[in-house]
Amino acid sequence: WEGWYWGAKHVWGAEGVGEMAPTGNLIPDIAEHSQQLLFWSADPETTAVGFDGYLSSRISQWIHKLGIKFVYVDPALNYSACYLADKWIPVRPNTDAALYLGIIYMWLKEGIYDKEYVKTHVVGAEPFFDYVLGKEDGIPKDPKWASEKCGVPVWTIKAMARQWSKLVTSIMIGNGGAGIRGPFSSEPARLQAICLGMQGLGKHGRHQCKVLEWNLFSNVYPLPYQGEKVANVPIRSEQVRPPMNEEVFSEFDRLGIKENQINTFMSHMPDEKLKERNPELYEITRPFGAWPKQSIPKCLIHDAILNGEVDWWGLWSFCGPKEEQFAHFHYPQPDASRIHMIWTDSPCMVTCWNDGFRFVKAARDPSVECIVAQHPWLENDCYMADIILPVATKFEMEDIGDDTGSGVITSVFRERAACPPVGESRNDWECVREVARKLGPEIYNEYTSNDMPLDEALEALWRGCGVAELDKEDEFHKKDIFVVPVAKDISKETVGWNGFAEDPENHPLNTPTGKLEFTSANLLKFFPDDPERPPYPKWIEYSALHDERLDGERAKKYPVLCMSNHGRFRFHANCDDIIWNREIEKMKIRAKDGYQYEAAWMSPATAGKYGIVHGDIIKIYNERGTVLCGAYVTERVVDDTVYVDHGSRFDPIDAEKLDRGGAINLITPTAVTSEKCCGLVVSGFLVAIAKVTDEEMEGWKKKYPDSFGRTLDKACGQCLDGWLIKE
């Protein structure tokens, strides 16, 4: 969600992530009123598993049968588009901003936008429109200009702009994924919000709608919207719960924590800030050492370790309020230590974050004295750990599933163990508990209740889900599951931002002006001269941080754009070893050497340019390192692009520069979104590609005999036996 958080927030508010929220009753409203849906880098068939349950792809099928046009804008013909698209518009990775600008230019020149809405619901439109028309810099952002940047034909841009203006249109997104995780991703996110605003955002059938949702209720971070406290307004339309977490809010009130501080309270707050804000809370928590003196964004851990210090703007807390973006932070803070130990319960930096090879270097740095990893499998970051705590899987533990955060089937269910724990494995909670007990037995015994019997703990968790009082028939205890009932009057709930559309003065957005800000009041105030995220959105060609365009200087050496999505056959790195999936060529290519390489999609034109044929072992590389993949040649991806799903397991030949496993995040950019936007960049970056010759492979085998000598399982690839040293 990088683009939404750092960009779209400054157009429409939308705390805390930056996607349009709340979005109650959107699906019924879209079904009744929309005539066209733009799936912008959205693939419900792939992301249906998400945190939303398993129904978003079914919802898409149902809506399509109503006769609503589906247009997919994506560098690849994704899995949903294969069978639901009325039109696929292939666009080069990380060039969506140019396409948006070309569309807006058409609307302005032909007058085919909602002028009255813009007059009453928008501020700062004039300087932005002048930029689009070329009055500011002498460069009109017309379809010809846009086409040269994004690769979409001029006539397609014109047709798209005209059809959008004629048809009642909503934009469908996942969380944004690769589409808003490239360099300067704040700009396409802002432009999407502006496009929706120019066509009457919030009117019936005109919305931004997520096809997967993380939370049905904004009960943790109250969203100021329409001048009301909406802590329990549904984000989606299917269920309504009674007010919940009242005890938590009462405790916040007792401690003097305001609602707009809750997110910061839940994050790592420096001791001095906490002491100043809430002395009582500081005294309560001080014995635990629970409030670190410093916090580091995950995408900057590499630099923090290797450089010894790092600076950034914003992102002290997780998706905190937009005002936090204008605060400057430094590591290490005065009188605070540098990192000397890493303890990870999600050991996947190398394959799921930025510049994984640089993280390997950081993990090997002498300043890091110890690494502890807890994980069920020996993979990825575990290779670098000094101590590995073997964690039990979900199949081996008693637990409770609280699905009240989803947007489809809201339920709470008891999870029974399918088998006893294997070997000496324990669940994550037990691992942390035993270390805590050893480090501070007095504090542990006085302040924790972690030794309560399991049944009592599960009962406490059930009560904490906030729906126990609705379970009149005691179904949770009788059937091990309670499904939250549907509200009878759900159809009367507000539809998205319809209140704002009908009466912006009495139903303001969470922006400084209460309206859509095509020119951001906050950016104009705090960062008026930021060349990468100016007060109104622009096309950013390159900067001191990023030169990732096909017409830039680096493209002479690295002439292909790399696109990386969440995969169809994995959830991040999880399930990469599922043997049935690995036999599907779109995931793994079994090459002539018998190894299953991660599939790298490319068009026939791109493959032909580099002498590559389907099934070849290829190398994808830039100055950060080299990743080996298997060529999957298909018309389903735009030219001059190579597409590799993120999440393939790390299988190092040389741990700091050469990987056989296809973990593409090893070579993603080190730099963050832009100087003042501390977000992850993992797609739309430049690489070179080439066929791996037999001579080159033999040279690696001679140079790295241990790497090629590891035991591999024929069906699931890397395995424990490949890493064990047998004595």
Side-chain angles (χ1 to χ4, degrees):
W1 47 51
E2 276 72 5
W4 313 127
Y5 178 78
W6 297 102
K9 271 195 184 189
H10 299 294
V11 178
W12 57 21
E15 300 286 7
V17 175
E19 298 155 336
M20 183 182 134
T23 55
N25 275 336
L26 286 196
I27 295 297
D29 189 74
I30 285 170
E32 183 176 357
H33 298 286
S34 295
Q35 298 169 302
Q36 174 179 256
L37 298 182
L38 299 176
F39 287 78
W40 215 293
S41 296
D43 183 7
E45 190 66 28
T46 290
T47 54
V49 152
F51 295 86
D52 195 356
Y54 298 85
L55 294 182
S56 56
S57 63
R58 297 286 184 90
I59 292 171
S60 298
Q61 295 171 38
W62 171 69
I63 292 176
H64 192 254
K65 289 179 180 178
L66 299 177
I68 298 172
K69 293 183 180 298
F70 278 23
V71 177
Y72 285 76
V73 185
D74 199 302
L77 185 70
N78 63 47
Y79 291 91
S80 299
C82 279
Y83 74 107
L84 289 176
D86 295 293
K87 175 74 176 177
W88 171 40
I89 299 179
V91 59
R92 288 179 189 142
N94 195 39
T95 63
D96 303 82
L99 179 55
Y100 286 125
L101 288 167
I103 290 169
I104 294 169
Y105 179 91
M106 285 289 296
W107 289 348
L108 293 174
K109 293 298 287 187
E110 298 188 357
I112 49 176
Y113 67 98
D114 194 333
K115 302 182 189 67
E116 189 58 36
Y117 182 99
V118 171
K119 286 181 183 178
T120 55
H121 291 69
V122 173
V123 297
E126 186 174 350
F128 170 67
F129 289 167
D130 284 348
Y131 166 75
V132 175
L133 295 172
K135 295 179 181 179
E136 176 197 306
D137 56 7
I139 304 173
K141 313 309 179 295
D142 58 21
K144 183 177 183 300
W145 172 90
S147 178
E148 292 172 354
K149 305 292 184 186
C150 70
V152 179
V154 171
W155 63 269
T156 301
I157 298 174
K158 291 180 177 180
M160 186 179 182
R162 289 166 180 155
Q163 179 160 301
W164 190 344
S165 71
K166 292 176 182 177
L167 302 182
V168 178
T169 300
S170 285
I171 291 181
M172 311 297 285
I173 62 170
N175 272 319
I180 48 87
R181 276 186 169 158
F184 320 123
S185 60
S186 59
E187 304 310 279
R190 288 204 280 173
L191 288 164
Q192 182 177 117
I194 286 175
C195 283
L196 286 165
M198 291 182 70
Q199 295 298 335
L201 173 66
K203 292 183 178 181
H204 289 296
R206 304 176 188 270
H207 316 285
Q208 183 195 66
C209 181
K210 291 178 67 175
V211 295
L212 69 88
E213 187 50 74
W214 284 45
N215 254 330
L216 181 58
F217 305 94
S218 52
N219 57 341
V220 174
Y221 191 86
L223 305 176
Y225 171 64
Q226 299 187 355
E228 306 166 1
K229 175 183 175 182
V230 292
N232 296 295
V233 169
I235 292 178
R236 289 277 288 277
S237 64
E238 286 78 5
Q239 298 90 15
V240 171
R241 297 163 39 174
M244 61 178 295
N245 283 351
E246 290 301 330
E247 292 182 4
V248 175
F249 283 114
S250 297
E251 183 68 2
F252 288 155
D253 291 338
R254 185 181 73 81
L255 295 171
I257 300 174
K258 298 179 181 178
E259 287 179 4
N260 64 1
Q261 297 171 336
I262 290 173
N263 197 34
T264 304
F265 167 84
M266 301 296 286
S267 70
H268 299 317
M269 189 185 302
D271 278 355
E272 60 272 17
K273 289 188 178 182
L274 179 64
K275 187 175 183 179
E276 178 183 350
R277 181 175 293 175
N278 282 291
E280 182 180 355
L281 180 61
Y282 172 78
E283 290 301 322
I284 292 172
T285 61
R286 186 166 52 87
F288 301 103
W291 301 93
K293 291 180 178 294
Q294 52 193 349
S295 173
I296 308 168
K298 199 168 181 179
C299 51
L300 293 178
I301 292 292
H302 329 52
D303 288 346
I305 293 172
L306 293 172
N307 299 339
E309 61 179 352
V310 68
D311 288 86
W312 70 95
W313 290 90
L315 207 65
W316 182 266
S317 60
F318 180 69
C319 292
K322 57 185 174 297
E323 290 78 13
E324 187 180 280
Q325 295 184 19
F326 309 117
H328 185 258
F329 299 100
H330 178 80
Y331 161 87
Q333 291 202 359
D335 302 321
S337 173
R338 287 186 57 189
I339 296 171
H340 292 287
M341 177 179 175
I342 295 172
W343 185 351
T344 172
D345 61 2
S346 53
C348 203
M349 284 287 290
V350 292
T351 192
C352 288
W353 283 80
N354 56 314
D355 194 354
F357 278 129
R358 186 165 171 80
F359 179 78
V360 175
K361 295 181 179 72
R364 289 176 153 189
D365 191 81
S367 66
V368 179
E369 300 168 23
C370 180
I371 299 177
V372 177
Q374 49 194 88
H375 199 51
W377 301 280
L378 183 62
E379 61 182 14
N380 302 323
D381 301 0
C382 291
Y383 301 156
M384 294 164 278
D386 298 287
I387 299 172
I388 300 175
L389 304 178
V391 175
T393 65
K394 295 291 285 184
F395 301 108
E396 301 161 71
M397 68 178 72
E398 297 284 332
D399 206 346
I400 186 170
D402 180 3
D403 193 36
T404 54
S406 85
V408 178
I409 302 177
T410 302
S411 61
V412 180
F413 45 90
R414 177 73 180 267
E415 297 176 346
R416 305 281 180 179
C419 63
V422 175
E424 299 178 356
S425 62
R426 300 189 180 194
N427 63 44
D428 290 277
W429 170 55
E430 290 176 316
C431 291
V432 176
R433 181 186 67 185
E434 294 308 313
V435 173
R437 190 200 307 271
K438 184 73 173 178
L439 286 175
E442 298 84 5
I443 295 175
Y444 177 89
N445 292 328
E446 182 176 354
Y447 289 99
T448 72
S449 57
N450 285 334
D451 286 329
M452 71 168 60
L454 179 61
D455 285 346
E456 289 184 22
L458 291 172
E459 186 65 22
L461 290 168
W462 157 240
R463 293 291 167 185
C465 293
V467 298
E469 68 277 10
L470 295 179
D471 189 6
K472 306 299 184 183
E473 303 298 325
D474 200 25
E475 292 185 3
F476 176 74
H477 295 103
K478 292 177 181 178
K479 301 179 180 179
D480 279 353
I481 185 169
F482 172 67
V483 179
V484 180
V486 177
K488 295 179 180 179
D489 58 350
I490 187 64
S491 61
K492 297 178 183 178
E493 294 287 343
T494 300
V495 175
W497 285 353
N498 189 241
F500 170 73
E502 292 181 352
D503 186 356
E505 302 302 326
N506 290 313
H507 300 283
L509 297 177
N510 185 28
T511 60
T513 60
K515 296 187 178 182
L516 290 167
E517 297 188 355
F518 287 10
T519 301
S520 166
N522 274 333
L523 294 180
L524 195 61
K525 176 182 178 181
F526 292 102
F527 299 139
D529 301 317
D530 185 351
E532 297 170 303
R533 186 181 53 164
Y536 49 82
K538 294 183 177 183
W539 167 260
I540 310 299
E541 194 76 39
Y542 47 79
S543 72
L545 287 184
H546 296 291
D547 179 5
E548 306 288 351
R549 303 296 188 191
L550 286 179
D551 55 358
E553 188 64 28
R554 285 183 65 248
K556 296 175 182 177
K557 188 174 183 180
Y558 306 113
V560 177
L561 280 168
C562 187
M563 167 192 176
S564 183
N565 277 350
H566 290 91
R568 167 72 166 150
F569 305 104
R570 284 187 296 267
F571 197 89
H572 298 305
N574 193 30
C575 301
D576 186 64
D577 56 349
I578 300 298
I579 59 177
W580 300 290
N581 291 350
R582 293 174 67 89
E583 293 299 327
I584 299 171
E585 274 202 328
K586 288 187 275 301
M587 179 187 182
K588 300 291 183 184
I589 299 284
R590 192 179 293 278
K592 59 185 180 181
D593 61 359
Y595 189 91
Q596 289 179 303
Y597 291 88
E598 181 71 10
W601 295 25
M602 64 190 74
S603 70
T606 303
K609 187 184 297 186
Y610 299 99
I612 294 169
V613 300
H614 188 89
D616 278 348
I617 304 169
I618 67 167
K619 58 181 180 181
I620 304 173
Y621 62 96
N622 55 28
E623 65 271 40
R624 292 179 286 274
T626 300
V627 174
L628 304 187
C629 292
Y632 184 84
V633 181
T634 174
E635 293 283 4
R636 285 177 56 184
V637 64
V638 69
D639 291 343
D640 298 316
T641 295
V642 60
Y643 161 28
V644 184
D645 284 329
H646 105 122
S648 188
R649 287 173 298 164
F650 186 36
D651 189 9
I653 297 174
D654 181 322
E656 294 188 11
K657 61 183 179 183
L658 179 59
D659 170 60
R660 197 182 186 190
I664 199 64
N665 281 41
L666 290 163
I667 60 171
T668 58
T670 310
V672 294
T673 304
S674 61
E675 182 186 356
K676 294 182 173 64
C677 299
C678 190
L680 189 68
V681 175
V682 292
S683 194
F685 61 95
L686 290 175
V687 298
I689 61 175
K691 179 178 178 178
V692 174
T693 66
D694 292 342
E695 293 76 16
E696 192 170 22
M697 185 65 79
E698 287 303 315
W700 288 329
K701 289 180 179 179
K702 291 179 181 178
K703 187 175 181 180
Y704 306 102
D706 291 343
S707 298
F708 284 90
R710 287 195 296 265
T711 300
L712 292 171
D713 185 275
K714 186 177 186 299
C716 60
Q718 304 100 296
C719 59
L720 180 62
D721 286 346
W723 292 96
L724 293 178
I725 298 175
K726 299 179 181 179
E727 297 181 350

